Amino acid sequence: MKRLLAVYFFLLVGFLILPLIFLVPISLSASQFLEFPPTSLSLRWYAAFFEDPTWVGAAILSFRVGIGATALSLLVGTLASIALVRGNFPGKSALTAIFIAPLILPTVVLALALYIVFLRWQLVDNVFALTLAHAIVALPYVVMIVSASLRRFDTTIERAARVLGAGPIKAFMLVTLPYLVPSMFAAGILAFFASFDELIITLFVSGGAQTLPVRIWNDLGLKLDPTVPAVAVMLTMLSIVGMGIGEVIRRRNEQRYQSATPPEA
């Protein structure tokens, strides 16, 4: 059974990375048209991305919105996680479902709802509104990861700080928060890329602003040159590196905490 699961796992991973195997050679083609296999290799399309102000402007806007959405989702999501894990109040299950809902609802439904609300408030084609919309999409990742980390935390350490004279806020800031920081970092990376890669909601609420996914979408509708595969490869590499760093930091923190926690008698 384990061998069958291992074979299934490798087949699934191979199926997922297969497009990338074709995408990388195409992005390195020297031809003006998409071709596989490329007859000659060149970095001209990567250079074309950095030389085109529309591509660079779309990337800068994506970073601005992504960083803002990450900061907002981390703030709200961490506070919500503390309330959901440690609180005991009526409607807790319903509130948890609300925070996780953006992962469950169809993206088109959420995009349409946000568009109607922002249109009524005259916030369509507003960078702050776009950042808020992306933060809503990113929020479930923060809530799930930080909540899971809080449930694994040994609260006796925080209680010990309280016994030694620290107030509840000081005990949380000095004991619990340092433990949560790596999980928050990992959650922030997932939140950032959830915002950075968002297309459908951006199409509804961005107005005339173009983030990088919207720029790719528009380019695919008008023409098809190897700049798009080059951008896709760079985005994929950025996602892999960022998520890899977040996972490494999260695991190191857990190992350090487990080694520092004395075994139970």
Coordinates of all heavy atoms in Angstrom, one line a residue, residues 107-170:
T107 N -14.3 31.8 -6.5 CA -13.7 33.1 -6.6 C -14.5 34.1 -7.3 O -14.5 35.3 -7.0 CB -12.3 32.9 -7.3 OG1 -11.6 31.9 -6.6 CG2 -11.5 34.2 -7.2
V108 N -15.3 33.6 -8.3 CA -16.1 34.5 -9.1 C -17.2 35.1 -8.2 O -17.5 36.3 -8.3 CB -16.7 33.8 -10.3 CG1 -17.7 34.7 -11.0 CG2 -15.6 33.3 -11.3
V109 N -17.8 34.3 -7.3 CA -18.8 34.8 -6.4 C -18.3 35.9 -5.5 O -18.9 37.0 -5.3 CB -19.5 33.7 -5.6 CG1 -20.4 34.2 -4.6 CG2 -20.1 32.7 -6.6
L110 N -17.1 35.6 -4.9 CA -16.5 36.6 -4.0 C -16.1 37.8 -4.8 O -16.3 39.0 -4.3 CB -15.2 35.9 -3.4 CG -14.5 36.8 -2.4 CD1 -15.4 37.2 -1.2 CD2 -13.2 36.1 -1.9
A111 N -15.6 37.7 -6.0 CA -15.2 38.9 -6.8 C -16.4 39.7 -7.1 O -16.3 41.0 -7.0 CB -14.5 38.4 -8.1
L112 N -17.5 39.1 -7.5 CA -18.7 39.8 -7.8 C -19.3 40.6 -6.6 O -19.7 41.7 -6.7 CB -19.8 38.9 -8.4 CG -21.1 39.6 -8.8 CD1 -20.9 40.6 -9.9 CD2 -22.1 38.5 -9.3
A113 N -19.2 39.9 -5.4 CA -19.7 40.6 -4.2 C -18.8 41.8 -3.8 O -19.4 42.8 -3.5 CB -19.7 39.5 -3.0
L114 N -17.5 41.6 -3.9 CA -16.6 42.7 -3.7 C -16.8 43.9 -4.7 O -16.8 45.0 -4.3 CB -15.2 42.2 -3.7 CG -14.7 41.3 -2.5 CD1 -13.3 40.8 -2.8 CD2 -14.7 42.1 -1.2
Y115 N -17.1 43.5 -5.9 CA -17.3 44.5 -6.9 C -18.5 45.4 -6.6 O -18.5 46.6 -6.7 CB -17.4 43.9 -8.3 CG -17.8 44.9 -9.4 CD1 -16.8 45.8 -9.9 CD2 -19.1 44.9 -9.9 CE1 -17.2 46.7 -10.9 CE2 -19.4 45.8 -10.9 CZ -18.5 46.7 -11.4 OH -18.8 47.6 -12.3
I116 N -19.6 44.7 -6.2 CA -20.9 45.4 -5.9 C -20.7 46.3 -4.7 O -21.1 47.5 -4.7 CB -22.0 44.4 -5.6 CG1 -22.3 43.6 -6.9 CG2 -23.2 45.1 -5.0 CD1 -23.3 42.5 -6.7
V117 N -20.0 45.8 -3.7 CA -19.7 46.6 -2.5 C -18.8 47.8 -2.8 O -19.1 49.0 -2.4 CB -19.1 45.8 -1.4 CG1 -18.7 46.7 -0.2 CG2 -20.1 44.7 -0.9
F118 N -17.7 47.6 -3.5 CA -16.8 48.7 -3.8 C -17.4 49.7 -4.8 O -17.1 50.9 -4.8 CB -15.5 48.1 -4.4 CG -14.7 47.4 -3.4 CD1 -13.7 46.5 -3.8 CD2 -14.8 47.6 -2.1 CE1 -12.9 45.8 -2.9 CE2 -14.1 46.9 -1.1 CZ -13.1 46.0 -1.5
L119 N -18.3 49.2 -5.7 CA -18.9 50.1 -6.6 C -19.9 51.0 -5.9 O -20.0 52.2 -6.2 CB -19.7 49.3 -7.7 CG -20.3 50.1 -8.8 CD1 -19.3 50.8 -9.6 CD2 -21.2 49.2 -9.7
R120 N -20.6 50.5 -4.9 CA -21.5 51.4 -4.1 C -20.7 52.4 -3.3 O -21.1 53.5 -3.1 CB -22.3 50.5 -3.1 CG -23.3 51.2 -2.2 CD -24.2 50.3 -1.5 NE -25.1 49.6 -2.5 CZ -26.0 48.8 -2.1 NH1 -26.2 48.5 -0.8 NH2 -26.8 48.2 -3.0
W121 N -19.5 52.0 -2.8 CA -18.7 52.9 -2.0 C -17.7 53.7 -2.9 O -16.9 54.4 -2.3 CB -17.9 52.1 -1.0 CG -18.7 51.5 0.1 CD1 -20.0 51.7 0.4 CD2 -18.2 50.5 1.0 NE1 -20.4 51.0 1.4 CE2 -19.4 50.2 1.9 CE3 -17.0 49.8 1.3 CZ2 -19.3 49.3 2.9 CZ3 -17.0 48.9 2.3 CH2 -18.1 48.6 3.1
Q122 N -17.8 53.6 -4.2 CA -17.0 54.3 -5.2 C -15.5 54.0 -4.9 O -14.7 54.9 -4.9 CB -17.3 55.8 -5.1 CG -18.7 56.2 -5.5 CD -19.0 57.6 -5.5 OE1 -18.1 58.4 -5.0 NE2 -20.1 58.1 -5.9
L123 N -15.2 52.7 -4.7 CA -13.8 52.3 -4.4 C -13.2 51.5 -5.6 O -12.1 51.0 -5.4 CB -13.7 51.5 -3.1 CG -14.0 52.4 -1.8 CD1 -14.0 51.4 -0.6 CD2 -12.9 53.4 -1.7
V124 N -14.0 51.3 -6.7 CA -13.4 50.6 -7.8 C -12.3 51.5 -8.4 O -12.4 52.7 -8.5 CB -14.5 50.3 -8.8 CG1 -13.9 49.7 -10.1 CG2 -15.6 49.4 -8.2
D125 N -11.2 50.8 -8.9 CA -10.1 51.5 -9.4 C -9.4 52.3 -8.3 O -8.9 53.4 -8.5 CB -10.4 52.4 -10.6 CG -9.2 52.8 -11.4 OD1 -8.1 52.2 -11.2 OD2 -9.3 53.7 -12.2
N126 N -9.3 51.6 -7.1 CA -8.6 52.2 -5.9 C -7.6 51.2 -5.4 O -8.0 50.0 -5.1 CB -9.7 52.6 -4.9 CG -9.1 53.3 -3.7 OD1 -8.4 52.6 -2.9 ND2 -9.3 54.6 -3.6
V127 N -6.4 51.6 -5.2 CA -5.4 50.7 -4.8 C -5.6 50.1 -3.4 O -5.4 49.0 -3.1 CB -4.0 51.3 -4.9 CG1 -2.9 50.4 -4.3 CG2 -3.6 51.7 -6.3
F128 N -6.1 51.0 -2.5 CA -6.4 50.6 -1.2 C -7.5 49.5 -1.2 O -7.4 48.5 -0.4 CB -6.8 51.8 -0.3 CG -7.3 51.3 1.1 CD1 -6.4 51.0 2.1 CD2 -8.7 51.3 1.4 CE1 -6.8 50.6 3.3 CE2 -9.1 50.9 2.6 CZ -8.2 50.6 3.6
A129 N -8.6 49.7 -2.0 CA -9.7 48.7 -2.1 C -9.1 47.4 -2.6 O -9.5 46.3 -2.2 CB -10.8 49.3 -2.9
L130 N -8.3 47.5 -3.6 CA -7.7 46.3 -4.2 C -6.8 45.6 -3.1 O -6.9 44.3 -3.0 CB -6.8 46.7 -5.4 CG -6.1 45.5 -6.1 CD1 -7.2 44.6 -6.7 CD2 -5.2 46.1 -7.3
T131 N -6.1 46.3 -2.3 CA -5.3 45.7 -1.3 C -6.2 45.0 -0.2 O -5.9 43.9 0.2 CB -4.4 46.8 -0.6 OG1 -3.6 47.4 -1.5 CG2 -3.6 46.2 0.5
L132 N -7.3 45.7 0.1 CA -8.3 45.1 1.0 C -8.9 43.8 0.5 O -9.0 42.8 1.2 CB -9.4 46.1 1.3 CG -10.5 45.7 2.3 CD1 -9.9 45.4 3.7 CD2 -11.5 46.8 2.4
A133 N -9.2 43.8 -0.8 CA -9.8 42.6 -1.4 C -8.8 41.5 -1.4 O -9.1 40.3 -1.1 CB -10.2 42.9 -2.9
H134 N -7.5 41.8 -1.7 CA -6.5 40.7 -1.6 C -6.3 40.2 -0.2 O -6.0 39.1 0.0 CB -5.2 41.2 -2.3 CG -5.2 41.3 -3.7 ND1 -4.1 41.2 -4.5 CD2 -6.3 41.4 -4.6 CE1 -4.4 41.2 -5.8 NE2 -5.7 41.4 -5.9
A135 N -6.4 41.1 0.8 CA -6.2 40.7 2.2 C -7.3 39.8 2.6 O -7.0 38.8 3.4 CB -6.2 42.0 3.1
I136 N -8.5 39.9 2.1 CA -9.6 39.0 2.4 C -9.3 37.6 1.8 O -9.5 36.6 2.5 CB -10.9 39.6 1.8 CG1 -11.3 40.8 2.5 CG2 -12.0 38.5 1.9 CD1 -12.5 41.5 1.9
V137 N -8.7 37.6 0.6 CA -8.3 36.3 0.0 C -7.2 35.6 0.8 O -7.1 34.4 1.0 CB -7.9 36.5 -1.4 CG1 -7.4 35.2 -2.0 CG2 -9.1 37.0 -2.2
A138 N -6.2 36.4 1.3 CA -5.1 35.9 2.0 C -5.4 35.6 3.5 O -4.6 34.8 4.1 CB -3.9 36.9 2.0
L139 N -6.4 36.1 4.1 CA -6.7 35.9 5.5 C -6.8 34.5 5.9 O -6.3 34.1 7.0 CB -8.0 36.7 5.8 CG -8.3 36.8 7.3 CD1 -7.2 37.5 8.1 CD2 -9.6 37.6 7.5
P140 N -7.5 33.6 5.2 CA -7.6 32.2 5.7 C -6.3 31.5 5.9 O -6.2 30.7 6.8 CB -8.4 31.5 4.5 CG -9.2 32.6 3.9 CD -8.3 33.8 4.0
Y141 N -5.3 31.8 5.1 CA -4.0 31.2 5.2 C -3.4 31.6 6.6 O -2.8 30.7 7.3 CB -3.1 31.6 4.1 CG -3.5 31.1 2.7 CD1 -4.2 32.0 1.9 CD2 -3.3 29.8 2.3 CE1 -4.7 31.6 0.6 CE2 -3.8 29.4 1.0 CZ -4.5 30.3 0.2 OH -4.9 29.9 -1.0
V142 N -3.5 32.8 6.9 CA -2.9 33.3 8.2 C -3.7 32.6 9.4 O -3.1 32.2 10.3 CB -3.0 34.8 8.3 CG1 -2.4 35.3 9.6 CG2 -2.2 35.4 7.1
V143 N -5.0 32.6 9.3 CA -5.8 32.1 10.4 C -5.5 30.6 10.6 O -5.3 30.1 11.7 CB -7.3 32.3 10.1 CG1 -8.1 31.6 11.1 CG2 -7.6 33.8 10.1
M144 N -5.4 29.8 9.5 CA -5.2 28.4 9.6 C -3.8 28.1 10.2 O -3.6 27.3 11.1 CB -5.4 27.7 8.3 CG -6.8 27.7 7.9 SD -7.1 26.6 6.4 CE -6.0 27.4 5.2
I145 N -2.7 28.8 9.7 CA -1.4 28.5 10.1 C -1.1 29.0 11.5 O -0.5 28.2 12.3 CB -0.4 29.1 9.1 CG1 -0.5 28.4 7.7 CG2 1.1 28.9 9.6 CD1 0.4 29.0 6.6
V146 N -1.5 30.2 11.8 CA -1.2 30.7 13.1 C -2.1 30.0 14.2 O -1.6 29.7 15.3 CB -1.5 32.2 13.2 CG1 -1.3 32.8 14.6 CG2 -0.5 33.0 12.2
S147 N -3.3 29.6 13.9 CA -4.1 28.9 14.8 C -3.5 27.5 15.1 O -3.5 27.1 16.3 CB -5.5 28.7 14.2 OG -6.2 29.9 14.1
A148 N -3.0 26.8 14.1 CA -2.4 25.5 14.3 C -1.1 25.7 15.2 O -0.9 24.8 16.0 CB -2.0 24.9 12.9
S149 N -0.4 26.7 15.0 CA 0.8 27.0 15.8 C 0.4 27.3 17.2 O 1.1 26.8 18.2 CB 1.6 28.1 15.2 OG 2.8 28.3 15.9
L150 N -0.6 28.0 17.4 CA -1.1 28.4 18.8 C -1.6 27.1 19.5 O -1.4 27.0 20.7 CB -2.2 29.4 18.7 CG -1.8 30.9 18.9 CD1 -3.1 31.7 18.6 CD2 -1.2 31.2 20.2
R151 N -2.2 26.2 18.8 CA -2.7 25.0 19.5 C -1.6 24.1 19.9 O -1.7 23.3 20.9 CB -3.6 24.2 18.5 CG -4.9 24.9 18.2 CD -5.9 24.0 17.4 NE -7.1 24.8 17.1 CZ -7.3 25.3 15.9 NH1 -6.4 25.3 15.0 NH2 -8.5 26.0 15.7
R152 N -0.4 24.2 19.3 CA 0.7 23.4 19.7 C 1.6 24.0 20.8 O 2.5 23.4 21.4 CB 1.6 23.1 18.5 CG 1.0 22.2 17.4 CD 2.1 21.8 16.4 NE 2.7 22.9 15.8 CZ 2.3 23.4 14.6 NH1 1.2 22.8 14.0 NH2 2.8 24.4 14.0
F153 N 1.3 25.3 21.1 CA 2.1 26.0 22.1 C 1.7 25.6 23.5 O 0.6 25.4 23.8 CB 1.8 27.5 21.9 CG 2.5 28.4 22.9 CD1 3.9 28.5 22.8 CD2 1.8 29.1 23.9 CE1 4.6 29.3 23.7 CE2 2.5 29.8 24.8 CZ 3.9 30.0 24.7
D154 N 2.8 25.4 24.3 CA 2.6 25.0 25.7 C 2.3 26.2 26.5 O 3.2 27.0 26.8 CB 3.9 24.3 26.2 CG 3.8 23.7 27.5 OD1 2.6 23.8 28.1 OD2 4.7 23.1 28.1
T155 N 1.1 26.4 26.9 CA 0.6 27.6 27.6 C 1.2 27.7 29.0 O 1.1 28.7 29.6 CB -0.9 27.6 27.7 OG1 -1.4 26.4 28.3 CG2 -1.5 27.8 26.3
T156 N 1.8 26.6 29.5 CA 2.4 26.6 30.9 C 3.6 27.6 30.9 O 3.9 28.2 31.9 CB 2.8 25.2 31.3 OG1 3.8 24.7 30.4 CG2 1.6 24.3 31.5
I157 N 4.2 27.8 29.8 CA 5.4 28.7 29.7 C 4.9 30.1 29.9 O 5.5 30.9 30.6 CB 6.1 28.5 28.4 CG1 6.6 27.1 28.2 CG2 7.3 29.5 28.3 CD1 7.3 26.8 26.9
E158 N 3.7 30.4 29.2 CA 3.2 31.8 29.4 C 2.6 32.0 30.8 O 2.8 33.1 31.4 CB 2.1 32.0 28.3 CG 1.5 33.4 28.3 CD 0.5 33.6 27.2 OE1 0.6 32.9 26.2 OE2 -0.4 34.4 27.4
R159 N 2.1 30.9 31.4 CA 1.6 31.1 32.7 C 2.7 31.3 33.7 O 2.6 32.0 34.7 CB 0.8 29.8 33.1 CG -0.6 29.8 32.4 CD -1.5 28.8 33.2 NE -1.0 27.4 33.1 CZ -1.4 26.6 32.2 NH1 -2.2 26.9 31.2 NH2 -0.9 25.3 32.2
A160 N 3.9 30.6 33.4 CA 5.0 30.8 34.3 C 5.5 32.3 34.2 O 5.9 32.8 35.3 CB 6.2 29.9 33.8
A161 N 5.4 32.9 33.0 CA 5.8 34.3 32.9 C 4.8 35.2 33.7 O 5.2 36.2 34.4 CB 5.8 34.7 31.5
R162 N 3.5 34.8 33.8 CA 2.6 35.5 34.5 C 2.9 35.4 36.0 O 2.7 36.4 36.8 CB 1.1 35.0 34.2 CG 0.7 35.2 32.8 CD 0.3 36.6 32.5 NE -0.7 37.1 33.5 CZ -2.0 36.9 33.3 NH1 -2.5 36.2 32.3 NH2 -2.9 37.3 34.2
V163 N 3.2 34.2 36.5 CA 3.6 34.0 37.9 C 4.8 34.8 38.3 O 4.8 35.3 39.4 CB 3.8 32.5 38.1 CG1 4.4 32.2 39.5 CG2 2.6 31.6 37.9
L164 N 5.7 35.0 37.4 CA 6.9 35.8 37.7 C 6.7 37.3 37.6 O 7.6 38.0 37.8 CB 8.0 35.4 36.7 CG 8.6 33.9 36.9 CD1 9.6 33.6 35.8 CD2 9.2 33.8 38.2
G165 N 5.4 37.7 37.4 CA 5.1 39.1 37.5 C 4.8 39.8 36.2 O 4.4 41.0 36.2
A166 N 4.9 39.1 35.1 CA 4.5 39.8 33.8 C 3.0 39.8 33.6 O 2.3 38.9 34.0 CB 5.1 39.0 32.6
G167 N 2.5 40.9 33.1 CA 1.1 41.1 32.8 C 0.7 40.2 31.6 O 1.6 39.7 30.9
P168 N -0.6 40.1 31.3 CA -1.0 39.3 30.2 C -0.4 39.7 28.8 O 0.0 38.9 28.0 CB -2.5 39.4 30.2 CG -2.8 40.5 31.0 CD -1.7 40.7 32.0
I169 N -0.4 41.1 28.6 CA 0.1 41.6 27.3 C 1.6 41.3 27.2 O 2.2 40.9 26.2 CB -0.2 43.0 27.1 CG1 -1.8 43.2 27.0 CG2 0.4 43.6 25.9 CD1 -2.2 44.7 26.9
K170 N 2.3 41.7 28.3 CA 3.8 41.5 28.4 C 4.2 40.0 28.2 O 5.1 39.7 27.5 CB 4.4 42.1 29.6 CG 5.9 42.1 29.7 CD 6.4 42.8 30.9 CE 7.9 42.8 30.9 NZ 8.4 43.5 32.2

